């Protein structure tokens, strides 16, 4: 018997954290375990400074640090209270027609639609290649993720930059870029170093360093674009602890940690894929991010069954271009992935025999 998908799973405002219930092993949220101790200690050391307003000098120092990492100038850096703030600030550019490459993270669409922009979903089919994207020529803003959430596709730098047109701005969400590798080369397809007046790159440090509850990120763009986006922005938009976290994450120790995490993701992802293959499951394209997406008939029922067994996974029913037959699984340590796959095998056996437990 076919059962309708619960409406809440199709809610566009729903994110993975809604599935990460207390007491469940979390495969729903794409944040790496953390924070590492050196970041935690940095934050503890700065608690005594919270009576003072955030320091403009410290913010300038962090902006210079970001600029050095990406071979930009400090006036091309905007520090953010989380990458989501960067999407909110895009509305200040007053785009008329926004093309959102889908499937993709839903937050940019939400805030730009609320600001009155016309939204066109440029919905791709597997294997989700940008070269196949029929972007309306009239689109003056194009938004995409690289790597893309939830498909885990990593687009080539050349394909991303090929989206540029006169009168158009291309916005690239690189929230997971620092966990991508090509051999030993980190961030192989990033456009963060592209100094162009029509490209904006939004970055986050919270995914890699386990800091989702803090909200820390930055964007890279020309000074003119930054000035337009920040017109009317509130004062002290980035707090003291966020500045401290950014400095620690983007400093030498933080960058060494990020590289080690990227290599760890490669190893853990390969293990998860090998275990999933035992169930006859494989992603539709090679995953390059710290998450994989698989297609299973009526996958939302698997989601419920796995929750009953102590695991949270992300339904992709609310992503444009996907449906309730897709699940996204975060990459986790080997032993944790083993436990998930064992639970999935049990679910498979139960569903095949028609004896669900929920």
């Amino acid at each position: 018997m076919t059962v309708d998908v619960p409406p809440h799973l199709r809610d566009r405002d729903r994110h993975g954290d809604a599935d990460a219930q207390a007491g469940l092993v979390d495969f729903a949220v794409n944040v790496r375990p953390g924070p590492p101790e050196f970041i935690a200690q940095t934050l503890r050391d700065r608690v005594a400074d919270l009576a003072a307003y955030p320091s403009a000098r410290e913010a300038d120092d962090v902006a210079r640090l970001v600029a050095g990492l990406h071979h930009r100038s400090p006036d091309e850096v905007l520090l953010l209270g989380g990458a989501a703030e960067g999407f909110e600030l895009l509305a200040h550019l007053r785009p008329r027609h926004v093309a959102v490459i889908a499937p993709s993270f839903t937050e940019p669409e939400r805030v730009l639609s609320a600001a009155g922009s016309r939204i066109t979903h440029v919905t791709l089919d597997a294997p989700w290649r940008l070269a196949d994207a029929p972007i309306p020529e009239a689109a003056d803003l194009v938004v995409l993720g690289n790597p893309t959430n939830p498909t885990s596709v990593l687009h080539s730098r050349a394909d991303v930059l090929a989206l540029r047109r006169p009168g158009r701005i291309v916005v690239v969400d690189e929230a997971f870029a620092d966990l991508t590798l090509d051999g030993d080369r980190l961030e192989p397809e990033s456009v963060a170093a592209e100094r162009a007046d029509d490209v904006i790159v939004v970055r986050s440090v919270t995914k890699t360093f386990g800091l989702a509850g803090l909200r820390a990120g930055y964007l890279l763009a020309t000074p003119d674009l930054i000035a337009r986006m920040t017109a009317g922005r509130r004062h002290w938009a980035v707090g003291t602890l966020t500045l401290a976290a950014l400095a620690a994450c983007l400093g030498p120790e933080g960058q060494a940690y990020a590289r080690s995490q990227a290599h760890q993701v490669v190893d853990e992802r390969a293990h998860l894929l090998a275990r999933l293959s035992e169930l006859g499951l494989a992603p539709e394209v090679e995953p390059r991010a710290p998450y994989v997406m698989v297609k299973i008939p009526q996958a939302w029922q698997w989601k419920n069954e796995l929750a009953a067994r102590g695991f949270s996974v992300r339904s992709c029913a609310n992503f444009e271009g996907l449906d309730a037959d897709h699940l996204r699984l975060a990459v986790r340590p080997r032993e944790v992935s083993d436990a998930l796959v064992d639970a999935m095998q049990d679910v498979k056996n139960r569903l095949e025999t028609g004896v669900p437990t929920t």
Side-chain angles (χ1 to χ4, degrees):
M1 180 179 66
T2 300
V3 182
D4 290 338
V5 178
H8 71 277
L9 293 182
R10 298 193 186 280
D11 182 358
R12 284 296 175 85
D13 289 340
R14 182 180 178 84
H15 296 298
D17 60 312
D19 296 316
Q21 303 172 33
L24 299 184
V25 180
D26 181 15
F27 281 84
V29 176
N30 294 327
V31 176
R32 297 294 292 167
E37 177 54 29
F38 74 94
I39 298 291
Q41 186 60 54
T42 294
L43 297 176
R44 287 193 291 266
D45 290 344
R46 295 301 302 276
V47 169
D49 297 334
L50 293 181
Y53 286 96
S55 163
R57 178 176 296 179
E58 183 176 6
D60 290 343
D61 289 342
V62 176
R64 281 192 289 270
L65 178 60
V66 174
L69 282 176
H70 298 295
H71 309 290
R72 307 286 290 252
S73 63
D75 60 357
E76 295 175 300
V77 176
L78 178 64
L79 306 181
L80 301 170
E85 188 199 6
F87 302 132
E88 292 175 356
L89 295 176
L90 292 176
H92 293 180
L93 299 176
R94 302 186 183 279
R96 297 180 303 278
H97 188 175
V98 179
V100 178
I101 307 295
S104 66
F105 182 49
T106 58
E107 194 66 12
E109 173 194 345
R110 185 185 72 82
V111 296
L112 290 167
S113 177
S117 297
R118 175 187 174 190
I119 305 293
T120 295
H121 294 109
V122 181
T123 306
L124 306 179
D125 296 322
W128 303 290
R129 293 193 178 97
L130 280 183
D132 300 328
I135 297 173
E137 285 299 320
D140 56 352
L141 192 76
V142 176
V143 183
L144 71 150
N146 201 35
T148 300
N149 176 15
T151 60
S152 202
V153 168
L154 182 65
H155 302 293
S156 74
R157 183 176 181 275
D159 283 348
V160 171
L161 295 178
L163 300 175
R164 299 163 67 191
R165 297 286 188 281
R168 172 187 294 173
I169 297 171
V170 177
V171 180
V172 190
D173 174 7
E174 291 192 350
F176 299 96
D178 61 351
L179 290 172
T180 60
L181 280 171
D182 181 9
D184 194 51
R185 186 161 66 100
L186 194 61
E187 303 186 17
E189 306 300 342
S190 172
V191 296
E194 186 69 22
R195 305 182 74 170
D197 61 5
D198 58 355
V199 177
I200 299 171
V201 178
V202 182
R203 304 275 299 216
S204 170
V205 301
T206 61
K207 308 295 191 289
T208 299
F209 294 89
L211 291 169
L214 182 63
R215 315 310 302 139
Y218 57 93
L219 67 75
L220 301 159
T222 61
D224 175 66
L225 284 174
I226 288 175
R228 291 168 60 192
M229 283 187 284
T230 54
R233 189 190 189 197
R234 62 187 171 89
H235 289 293
W236 310 292
V238 179
T240 297
L241 293 184
T242 295
L243 291 173
L246 284 167
C249 293
L250 301 174
E253 187 174 11
Q255 290 303 285
Y257 177 83
R259 178 174 289 277
S260 72
Q261 284 292 298
H263 282 281
Q264 191 170 323
V265 164
V266 170
D267 176 72
E268 293 172 354
R269 186 175 59 221
H271 181 76
L272 174 60
L273 293 174
R275 290 301 318 275
L276 289 172
S277 70
E278 298 171 14
L279 303 180
L281 297 176
E284 293 168 271
V285 296
E286 178 191 4
R288 299 292 299 278
Y291 44 88
V292 303
M293 189 181 75
V294 292
K295 187 172 184 178
I296 311 172
Q298 295 186 314
W300 64 272
Q301 291 185 311
W302 285 62
K303 168 183 162 53
N304 292 340
E305 293 284 343
L306 288 169
R309 291 161 175 78
F311 297 89
S312 65
V313 297
R314 174 72 155 94
S315 169
C316 296
N318 68 330
F319 286 97
E320 181 73 25
L322 298 176
D323 52 38
D325 288 346
H326 290 88
L327 291 179
R328 189 192 69 196
L329 310 173
V331 171
R332 297 292 187 235
R334 288 176 170 233
E335 63 277 8
V336 185
S337 292
D338 286 341
L340 172 70
V341 175
D342 289 345
M344 293 179 72
Q345 181 66 67
D346 185 51
V347 171
K348 182 180 180 183
N349 294 342
R350 296 275 187 168
L351 293 178
E352 286 177 348
T353 58
V355 190
T357 59
T358 61

